[in-house]
Amino acid sequence: MIRQVWPRERDLGEEDLEQLYRYPEGGRWLAVNFVSSTDGAIEVEGRSRALSTPADRIVYRLGNDLADVVLVGAGTAMAEGFEGMRPDERTADRRRRFGLAPIAPVAVVTTGRSLPPDAPVITKAAVPTLVFTCAATPEPLREAWEANGARVFVTGEQQVAPELVVATLVTEGLGRIDCEGGPRLFGSLIEAGVIDEFRLTVAPFLVAGEASRAAVGGAIDPAELALASVLTDGGSVLLRYLTRRV
């Protein structure tokens, strides 16, 4: 059982969770999802899966079930073995009820170095994957992505410009954006000021070691967030924060 403890205490059923984690109508909304240990690690041996708890898996699923598109960095897509979305009956029903396309495409951000032409996120996706790259990426590599079924967008010269990625997704009718990392993509989105919501699961584990943090990149002045909700299943703590500009 997942219980909301702030802003008011109540037990939450599936419909309650759907309403809490749905994306606002109209325009665009970019939500970033991460799970971390209590000491701040976001991975165990390079993957987040070992940190995920039953409650985290529920909200993680809501994130992509209710989104128009799932946004991910190429390194994360490869490390986590992304193969695109494949809705089961429950997800298909949820997407129908919320007026969404049957399958959310994956949008991958890459400078080219970490996304081979035969990446599973391209070759095994049920709908075409959107690849966002920069003009510096060799043209033969871009052509190879397209030959394997991806739609390729050049959004920057030497680096990918995250604000152009988001603007292009909105133009494509994919304004409800679920970002699932990794840290460099998250950091670039923070710097660009395009994040609307941060969803963080704090899992009841200690990891230590040298695991990555949720966001890395250029330093910015600390950006204050507004706490939107706090949930728990008695072990994990599920936090939702909104950026102050919204």
Side-chain angles (χ1 to χ4, degrees):
M1 172 66 70
I2 295 180
R3 182 171 180 80
Q4 179 175 293
V5 296
W6 195 90
R8 64 186 179 91
E9 292 195 27
R10 56 177 178 146
D11 292 331
L12 300 176
E14 182 172 335
E15 291 186 6
D16 300 313
L17 289 166
E18 287 177 344
Q19 292 304 314
L20 194 63
Y21 282 89
R22 71 181 299 174
Y23 298 75
E25 299 290 338
R28 63 97 168 153
W29 191 268
L30 195 161
V32 178
N33 284 276
F34 268 92
V35 59
S36 85
S37 66
T38 56
D39 57 339
I42 62 161
E43 62 183 26
V44 177
E45 296 181 347
R47 306 184 77 176
S48 63
R49 205 163 294 175
L51 295 172
S52 186
T53 63
D56 175 62
R57 287 190 284 275
I58 289 171
V59 299
Y60 173 89
R61 179 171 179 165
L62 283 165
N64 47 57
D65 278 2
L66 297 174
D68 291 316
V69 62
V70 176
L71 178 65
V72 65
T76 296
M78 296 301 293
E80 299 287 349
F82 271 48
E83 296 182 358
M85 302 296 111
R86 285 181 171 76
D88 58 16
E89 184 176 337
R90 187 176 190 179
T91 293
D93 173 69
R94 179 176 281 159
R95 293 184 68 82
R96 277 194 301 270
R97 287 189 287 107
F98 281 84
L100 296 162
I103 302 175
V106 175
V108 183
V109 176
T110 180
T111 56
R113 292 184 293 271
S114 55
L115 188 70
D118 60 351
V121 72
I122 293 175
T123 61
K124 296 186 177 181
V127 296
T129 294
L130 287 65
V131 176
F132 289 91
T133 192
C134 54
T137 300
E139 189 169 345
L141 179 55
R142 285 184 263 156
E143 291 173 348
W145 290 329
E146 291 179 332
N148 283 338
R151 299 178 61 203
V152 178
F153 300 84
V154 175
T155 49
E157 293 301 320
Q158 297 299 315
Q159 299 291 329
V160 178
E163 63 275 15
L164 295 180
V165 173
V166 172
T168 302
L169 289 173
V170 172
T171 299
E172 291 287 317
L174 305 172
R176 289 167 283 198
I177 306 166
D178 173 37
C179 178
E180 298 183 358
R184 292 197 179 280
L185 176 57
F186 186 17
S188 71
L189 295 170
I190 292 172
E191 289 183 72
V194 293
I195 294 170
D196 299 289
E197 183 177 351
F198 180 37
R199 300 170 177 178
L200 174 65
T201 297
V202 181
F205 303 109
L206 291 172
V207 174
E210 298 180 354
S212 298
R213 56 184 290 180
V216 297
I220 64 166
D221 292 333
E224 186 176 1
L225 303 175
L227 184 62
S229 66
V230 181
L231 315 181
T232 184
D233 64 351
S236 305
V237 178
L238 304 111
L239 306 167
R240 291 176 52 248
Y241 287 99
L242 306 182
T243 56
R244 287 292 186 182
R245 66 183 181 78
V246 301

